């Protein structure tokens, strides 16, 4: 890892923002196999921001850049990646006013959700961003996203993990990537944006933020994700014709400690008691099982329809209107905690970081 500074004499460390560069499209450069994460990002970033109008440059906070030695495409991220980023933020908390995490877009919202759980109660901004096109590409969205992320990372009112992308600031535990190509790739389907760029202004809405909703000192939960890094939590979307033996093959595996099931509509499953039995048996073994809808918007209400009757009694926890990213990473986080099963279940049903 390497560190560098912009405007090195402009501000003491405590007034700076720390930029953590993990890789992703934003820093990619072409090679014989196609685009791959490129190095020297701190200088490339400084050159790009130096092309902004002078007034914009003067509005930037001073910052340092921490570049990971092993840069990745975000499709290669794992729970251990999430843990490393959280640990680096926690280790530098006293030295910086805010943080920007530069990350690939494919799993950016997964990392944001995980960081929100690990950094519960954080009293300063953590803003994730990336881009759909590399930094040096003509008319790239990278410069605008970097600029906005840095501006919001310097806002002391923002006290949570967020994503800045295409002029909008979204709660990290509420965002999803909804388009594979559009510059406006991220949305927050069940919660309004917590900030946005309007012309030259970067407007934060305190009444929508965790700083307003959850007062108090940081209470970080930096657990060892090694125990859930080998596939201990799975995700399964139901399909028409799913058979009990297929569900049993996954939930019955002794290596599985938790599972996120994506049901139909408001929480429906096939009318087959054997499927309920599979879920009940897995839950009875102490596995943490939760459900959300396959629909991108709306909540599940298990038992509202006959097709969902018995799921709650079988031990399946309602994910309400949580995103797949927020629900899955919450299962990972809770299973990494040294908690009794009943406590894990109760905490899943509790809003920890405004995720539900």
């Amino acid at each position: 890892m390497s560190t560098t500074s912009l405007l090195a004499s402009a501000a003491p460390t405590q007034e700076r923002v720390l930029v953590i560069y993990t890789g992703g499209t934003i820093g990619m450069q072409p090679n014989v196999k196609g685009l791959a994460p490129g190095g020297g990002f701190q200088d490339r970033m400084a050159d790009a921001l130096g092309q902004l109008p002078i007034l914009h440059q003067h509005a930037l906070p001073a910052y340092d850049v921490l570049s990971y030695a092993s840069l990745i495409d975000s499709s290669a991220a794992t729970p251990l990646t999430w843990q490393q980023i959280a640990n680096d933020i926690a280790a530098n908390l006293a030295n910086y006013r805010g943080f920007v995490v530069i990350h690939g877009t494919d799993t950016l919202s997964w990392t944001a959700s995980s960081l929100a759980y690990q950094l519960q109660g954080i009293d300063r901004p953590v803003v994730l961003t990336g881009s759909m096109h590399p930094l040096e590409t003509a008319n790239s969205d990278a410069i605008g996203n970097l600029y906005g992320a840095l501006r919001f990372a310097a806002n002391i009112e923002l006290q949570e993990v967020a994503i800045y992308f295409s002029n909008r600031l979204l709660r990290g535990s509420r965002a999803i990537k909804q388009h594979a190509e559009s510059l406006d790739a991220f949305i927050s389907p069940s919660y309004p944006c917590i900030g946005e760029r309007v012309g030259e202004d970067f407007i934060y809405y305190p009444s929508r933020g965790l700083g307003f909703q959850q007062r108090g000192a940081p209470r970080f939960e930096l657990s060892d994700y090694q125990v859930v890094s080998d596939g201990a939590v799975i995700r399964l979307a139901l399909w028409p014709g799913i058979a009990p033996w297929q569900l049993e093959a996954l939930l019955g595996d002794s290596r599985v400690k938790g599972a996120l099931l994506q049901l139909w509509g408001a929480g429906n499953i096939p009318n087959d008691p054997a499927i309920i039995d599979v879920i009940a048996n897995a839950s009875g073994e102490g596995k943490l099982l939760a459900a959300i809808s396959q629909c991108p918007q709306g909540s599940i209400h298990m038992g509202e329809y006959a097709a969902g009757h018995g799921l709650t009694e079988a031990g399946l926890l309602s994910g309400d209107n949580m995103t797949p990213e927020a629900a899955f990473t919450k299962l990972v986080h809770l299973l990494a905690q040294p908690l009794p099963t009943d406590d894990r279940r109760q905490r899943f049903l509790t809003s920890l970081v405004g995720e539900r």
Side-chain angles (χ1 to χ4, degrees), residues 14-344:
Q14 292 84 353
E15 296 180 15
R16 298 175 184 272
V17 167
L18 179 62
V19 177
I20 299 176
Y21 172 54
T22 69
T25 297
I26 192 170
M28 286 188 175
Q29 296 174 314
N31 65 24
V32 293
K33 295 183 179 180
L35 290 172
F41 187 79
Q42 52 267 34
D43 294 330
R44 296 163 57 201
M45 178 178 170
D47 289 343
L49 294 175
Q51 300 172 26
L52 291 171
I54 295 299
L55 289 178
H56 290 187
Q57 293 185 49
H58 287 171
L60 286 170
Y63 65 82
D64 297 329
V65 177
L66 177 64
S67 292
Y68 283 173
S70 298
L71 302 172
I72 62 169
D73 184 298
S74 70
S75 60
T78 71
L80 296 181
T81 307
W82 308 337
Q83 178 178 312
Q84 179 183 2
I85 298 170
N87 285 340
D88 286 335
I89 291 172
N92 287 282
L93 190 72
N95 297 324
Y96 292 94
R97 64 189 296 184
F99 299 85
V100 170
V101 178
I102 299 175
H103 195 285
T105 61
D106 283 347
T107 63
L108 187 149
S109 53
W110 298 80
T111 297
S113 290
S114 177
L115 291 180
Y117 298 126
Q118 294 182 79
L119 303 175
Q120 289 176 57
I122 193 165
D123 61 354
R124 62 203 66 194
V126 176
V127 183
L128 287 83
T129 196
S131 66
M132 302 302 289
H133 300 289
L135 186 62
E136 287 85 5
T137 301
N139 301 314
S140 172
D141 57 328
I143 299 176
N145 288 345
L146 284 173
Y147 178 64
L150 284 164
R151 290 290 303 271
F152 274 117
N155 188 329
I156 60 173
E157 289 188 286
L158 177 61
Q159 298 179 13
E160 63 180 288
V161 177
I163 293 173
Y164 180 81
F165 215 90
S166 190
N167 299 323
R168 288 183 298 179
L169 187 72
L170 310 175
R171 171 163 294 163
S173 61
R174 288 281 193 164
I176 63 172
K177 185 180 180 183
Q178 56 89 31
H179 203 291
E181 299 172 332
S182 173
L183 300 184
D184 190 14
F186 289 86
I187 60 171
S188 179
S190 300
Y191 197 78
C193 67
I194 59 176
E196 59 186 324
R197 180 176 184 174
V198 180
E200 299 304 316
D201 297 321
F202 289 83
I203 302 170
Y204 173 63
Y205 304 114
S207 63
R208 301 175 184 175
L210 287 181
F212 180 84
Q213 299 168 7
Q214 297 184 348
R215 305 285 182 182
R219 52 186 190 280
F220 292 180
E221 293 182 347
L222 300 172
S223 299
D224 184 4
Y225 277 24
Q226 187 70 49
V227 297
V228 287
S229 65
D230 60 351
V233 181
I234 64 172
R235 174 188 177 189
L236 173 65
L238 269 61
W239 63 88
I242 185 172
W245 71 264
Q246 293 171 313
L247 191 59
E248 167 65 25
L250 292 168
L251 295 186
D253 192 307
S254 61
R255 294 167 293 184
V256 172
K257 299 178 181 178
L260 175 65
L261 305 184
Q262 290 189 250
L263 312 182
W264 294 307
N268 299 322
I269 63 169
N271 184 22
D272 187 344
I275 288 182
I276 294 286
D277 290 343
V278 172
I279 294 171
N281 288 339
S283 179
E285 293 172 356
K287 297 180 180 182
L288 194 62
L289 309 181
I292 59 172
S293 175
Q294 293 186 26
C295 300
Q297 295 190 50
S299 301
I300 63 168
H301 305 281
M302 294 185 299
E304 181 173 331
Y305 292 87
H309 179 72
L311 288 173
T312 301
E313 291 79 2
L316 194 60
L317 302 172
S318 171
D320 194 26
N321 63 355
M322 293 170 66
T323 66
E325 294 92 326
F328 184 90
T329 57
K330 191 172 188 178
L331 291 174
V332 169
H333 182 73
L334 292 176
L335 286 165
Q337 300 284 314
L339 298 170
T341 298
D342 287 346
D343 286 355
R344 288 191 179 117

